[in-house]
């Protein structure tokens, strides 16, 4: 069985993204792969190329043949030169790592809290005591709502007498 290192296409129309895979030479371009050893995203600026160097060296060592596009990628990453024993190429231009979304959110939240504290005082959640004028009518309403208890004199009268 002839083994090839080739590109497996993923992604949408006009946005290709590839996986660098180890596959039987007779399989389809996007068919079943033995192993995935890397990524290639050509539309990003700069292009994203990630290769698992140990696995690439292993497969090259056991006789896997890279296709022309993969050979160019392996030369860019330096894995081909390492396999052949040649001097390494100049380092690749690598995109800056994306900031952690959680860390960005935390920083923005802290900044907004410090701005609010500096500009406006925080309102008190305690309600102020009611004024004496408002307290008196409320007390009268509460007394009117409670049912009046019968007096002791009314309880002592016999039922026949009214």
């Amino acid at each position: 069985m002839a083994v090839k290192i080739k590109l497996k296409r993923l992604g949408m129309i006009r946005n290709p993204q590839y996986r660098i895979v180890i596959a039987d030479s007779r399989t389809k371009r996007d068919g079943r792969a033995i192993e995935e050893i890397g990524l290639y995203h050509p539309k990003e600026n700069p292009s994203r190329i990630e290769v698992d160097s140990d696995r690439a060296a292993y497969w090259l060592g056991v006789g896997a043949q890279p296709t022309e596009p993969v050979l160019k990628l392996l030369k860019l990453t330096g894995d081909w030169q390492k396999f052949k024993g040649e001097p390494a190429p100049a380092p690749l231009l690598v995109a800056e790592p994306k900031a952690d979304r959680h860390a960005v959110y935390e920083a923005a939240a802290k900044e907004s809290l410090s701005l609010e504290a500096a500009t406006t005082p925080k309102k008190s959640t305690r309600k102020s005591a009611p004024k004496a004028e408002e307290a008196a009518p409320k007390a009268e309403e509460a007394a009117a709502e409670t049912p009046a208890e019968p007096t002791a004199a009314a309880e002592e009268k016999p039922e026949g007498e009214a």
Side-chain angles (χ1 to χ4, degrees):
M1 170 170 89
V3 178
K4 292 262 188 187
I5 304 175
K6 57 186 183 177
L7 295 176
K8 177 179 182 177
R9 190 182 196 281
L10 302 170
M12 299 179 290
I13 297 174
R14 291 180 287 284
N15 185 20
Q17 297 178 354
Y18 298 94
R19 300 266 169 91
I20 301 171
V21 298
I22 311 300
D24 183 10
S25 62
R26 297 170 288 190
T27 60
K28 300 178 207 175
R29 176 190 71 173
D30 302 335
R32 196 172 111 202
I34 299 170
E35 183 179 356
E36 292 181 358
I37 62 168
L39 302 171
Y40 174 50
H41 296 210
K43 289 285 189 167
E44 291 183 12
N45 188 15
S47 296
R48 180 177 171 192
I49 303 170
E50 295 178 13
V51 179
D52 185 357
S53 297
D54 296 336
R55 297 308 297 163
Y58 168 78
W59 283 106
L60 289 169
V62 295
Q65 296 297 313
T67 59
E68 288 182 26
V70 172
L71 182 60
K72 289 179 183 179
L73 293 175
L74 292 175
K75 285 182 179 179
L76 285 173
T77 60
D79 293 319
W80 183 254
Q81 288 86 341
K82 190 185 300 182
F83 172 68
K84 289 292 187 178
E86 298 172 359
L92 283 175
L93 177 64
V94 180
E96 294 179 14
K98 294 181 181 178
D100 181 31
R101 288 183 178 186
H102 184 68
V104 171
Y105 173 77
E106 291 293 327
K110 286 180 183 177
E111 182 179 320
S112 68
L113 286 176
S114 65
L115 291 177
E116 287 178 9
T119 57
T120 57
K122 190 171 184 180
K123 291 185 178 180
S124 175
T125 57
R126 293 177 59 196
K127 293 184 179 179
S128 62
K131 295 179 182 175
E133 298 168 358
E134 296 173 3
K138 288 183 181 177
E140 292 173 3
E141 291 173 8
E145 291 176 2
T146 57
E149 295 182 18
T151 59
E155 291 177 5
E156 293 178 7
K157 288 184 181 178
E159 293 179 15
E161 298 176 14

